[in-house]
Amino acid sequence: MTFSIIIPVHNADKYIDGAMKPLISAYEKGYQLEVILVENGSNDESAASCNYYADRYDYVKSYHYGPIGAFRARLEGIKHADGDYLVFCDSDDEIATDMFDVLSNSISSYQNRGCEPDIVLYNAADSINREEKLFSFPFDENKVYSADEKQVFYDVMSSSDALNAMWNKAIRKEFVRRTDSFEGLRLNHGEDLLQTAEFIDKADTIVFIDRILYYYNQNSLGLTRAFHRQYMENQICAWEQFDKYIQKWQCTDNQYTDIVDKRKTLTCAIAVSNLIYSGISFGKKAEHLREMVKMPFYKKYATKDLPDWAPEEDVFVHNLMNRNNPFRALMLSAGKYGLKRFVKRLLGRKEDINNGN
């Protein structure tokens, strides 16, 4: 059994060695692997690092594209893959050392029962706290979920983002090649939601392994959040597409509508939080915020309720969004954040001077 590990790489030069180390170790133990590095528009040394591994190891392939984003990079990797099962990995994360042993044994056991699982779902852990599972899935191990037994997956997909990530799934290549509705989409945000929804929707068989086989790196940038102008447009597109699955999956009218609406509200809060706590200028924050609050999607969902599991920082911002004068409240918070950031930099420079740097 051969596994194709698809890794989109963008400005990840300082992480790529960590991602490759357990893969090299697994290959040296005798597992049949091919590693597909899909470098997309990096401006650091990522391209050279990918070429280094491809030149040194026959089972590593390196492909280079412009800034197409992780979603398109993953799709390009799928086109190049020759393995029986595809495993997806982010360039700043790591697989567990026993991943392919566990996957091989599990898939083989199902094959002996006459089943070729389309999707093998497994658990993950934070790269720092490696003993604690990230997800408490309501799925049964050793059970084959057939096409007419997937309602529990629809429930999870609709109510939370626990299933969104591509990095906790091994997917049968021949099944993946039948899922082509992504063509034409150009998303950098919200893409995992759609790709997973498509796979879950079309899979004939899904199995679950409640083992930690992947380590996710939070890759925190401190208090500064990243602002991308296309974030809201991408998310709106993703939710419009996801709504089509909701209409197909729900057994009764509006079964999933309320919780999905809350997730759309969370999207608005995340977009605002990423903006006002970003590193761009105060004036640009005001400009972009004015644009955002005029969007029909924002007007419809921004002040509705959040899901119970919404992160604390987004709950705080959502409260500001519901003030009598939300623009003023949000920009005041942005100003306080900017001042704290300025003082922190100033103190850092002072410390450097005192240390003679």
Side-chain angles (χ1 to χ4, degrees):
M1 185 182 306
T2 303
F3 294 94
S4 295
I5 300 89
I6 299 172
I7 308 178
V9 179
H10 177 76
N11 290 344
D13 182 53
K14 64 181 180 179
Y15 299 109
I16 194 68
D17 290 344
M20 288 299 301
K21 185 177 179 180
L23 294 171
I24 294 170
S25 176
Y27 184 85
E28 291 175 346
K29 290 178 181 177
Y31 295 106
Q32 299 180 51
L33 310 178
E34 69 167 356
V35 180
I36 300 174
L37 302 173
V38 188
E39 187 274 320
N40 54 105
S42 302
N43 52 32
D44 63 359
E45 296 301 314
S46 291
S49 294
C50 291
N51 289 341
Y52 165 79
Y53 282 105
D55 291 341
R56 187 169 182 180
Y57 301 101
D58 292 340
Y59 57 92
V60 179
K61 302 173 183 178
S62 176
Y63 299 95
H64 302 277
Y65 297 86
I68 60 175
F71 179 52
R72 300 305 309 180
R74 193 181 294 134
L75 295 185
E76 293 299 330
I78 289 172
K79 294 176 184 178
H80 293 293
D82 293 322
D84 300 302
Y85 278 84
L86 312 185
V87 173
F88 301 93
C89 181
D90 288 350
S91 54
D92 55 350
D93 296 340
E94 298 176 35
I95 65 162
T97 55
D98 62 345
M99 168 183 271
F100 300 108
D101 185 45
V102 174
L103 286 178
S104 296
N105 290 336
S106 178
I107 294 170
S108 294
S109 71
Y110 285 108
Q111 289 174 336
N112 292 335
R113 293 160 56 181
C115 170
E116 289 276 0
D118 288 334
I119 300 175
V120 182
L121 173 69
Y122 41 88
N123 223 311
D126 185 277
S127 59
I128 296 175
N129 186 4
R130 297 191 169 213
E131 302 300 320
E132 183 176 346
K133 295 173 183 174
L134 279 178
F135 307 110
S136 297
F137 289 124
F139 314 130
D140 296 328
E141 288 193 286
N142 301 315
K143 174 180 173 61
V144 177
Y145 289 87
S146 62
D148 59 353
E149 296 178 297
K150 295 188 296 183
Q151 198 66 45
V152 64
F153 293 93
Y154 302 154
D155 291 346
V156 175
M157 280 296 303
S158 302
S159 62
S160 74
D161 58 3
L163 267 179
N164 285 18
M166 289 299 301
W167 39 248
N168 64 340
K169 302 168 185 68
I171 305 184
R172 191 165 62 89
K173 182 190 67 177
E174 295 308 316
F175 163 70
V176 172
R177 295 282 170 83
R178 301 201 309 265
T179 56
D180 56 4
S181 64
F182 313 117
E183 293 300 326
L185 286 176
R186 293 290 185 270
L187 298 178
N188 290 318
H189 309 279
E191 71 280 4
D192 279 1
L193 172 72
L194 289 188
Q195 198 161 23
T196 298
E198 174 79 355
F199 289 151
I200 295 294
D201 182 69
K202 290 189 174 180
D204 290 325
T205 50
I206 304 175
V207 300
F208 174 55
I209 305 171
D210 198 14
R211 292 275 299 274
I212 295 172
L213 300 182
Y214 191 90
Y215 299 109
Y216 172 67
N217 179 16
Q218 295 285 349
N219 193 13
S220 173
L221 298 177
L223 293 177
T224 303
R225 302 187 72 161
F227 170 68
H228 301 281
R229 191 167 186 172
Q230 73 273 26
Y231 177 84
M232 276 293 281
E233 287 86 354
N234 281 192
Q235 290 285 1
I236 291 169
C237 177
W239 282 119
E240 287 176 350
Q241 296 295 321
F242 189 70
D243 282 342
K244 297 176 183 178
Y245 291 108
I246 293 304
Q247 295 304 315
K248 180 179 179 180
W249 292 345
Q250 58 190 9
C251 299
T252 59
D253 289 344
N254 301 323
Q255 177 182 357
Y256 297 132
T257 301
D258 288 345
I259 184 58
V260 171
D261 282 356
K262 291 179 180 180
R263 294 180 65 188
K264 292 174 181 177
T265 301
L266 179 58
T267 292
C268 295
I270 292 172
V272 172
S273 182
N274 288 347
L275 170 60
I276 66 175
Y277 301 133
S278 70
I280 66 176
S281 70
F282 187 82
K284 284 293 184 181
K285 290 179 183 180
E287 176 186 334
H288 292 311
L289 184 59
R290 289 191 181 95
E291 292 177 357
M292 193 182 302
V293 299
K294 292 179 182 177
M295 293 180 173
F297 182 91
Y298 186 95
K299 290 180 179 179
K300 183 174 181 179
Y301 296 108
T303 58
K304 291 189 176 184
D305 293 335
L306 289 172
D308 294 338
W309 47 265
E312 184 178 344
E313 60 269 27
D314 297 317
V315 172
F316 172 77
V317 170
H318 181 253
N319 288 334
L320 298 180
M321 292 160 58
N322 280 274
R323 295 280 182 87
N324 290 333
N325 189 339
F327 183 86
R328 181 179 182 278
L330 291 167
M331 291 309 300
L332 181 60
S333 186
K336 290 179 179 178
Y337 167 78
L339 180 60
K340 290 179 180 178
R341 192 162 177 259
F342 172 76
V343 171
K344 186 176 181 179
R345 288 201 308 267
L346 194 64
L347 292 175
R349 290 174 186 170
K350 183 177 180 181
E351 184 176 350
D352 287 342
I353 293 172
N354 291 337
N355 292 333
N357 296 328

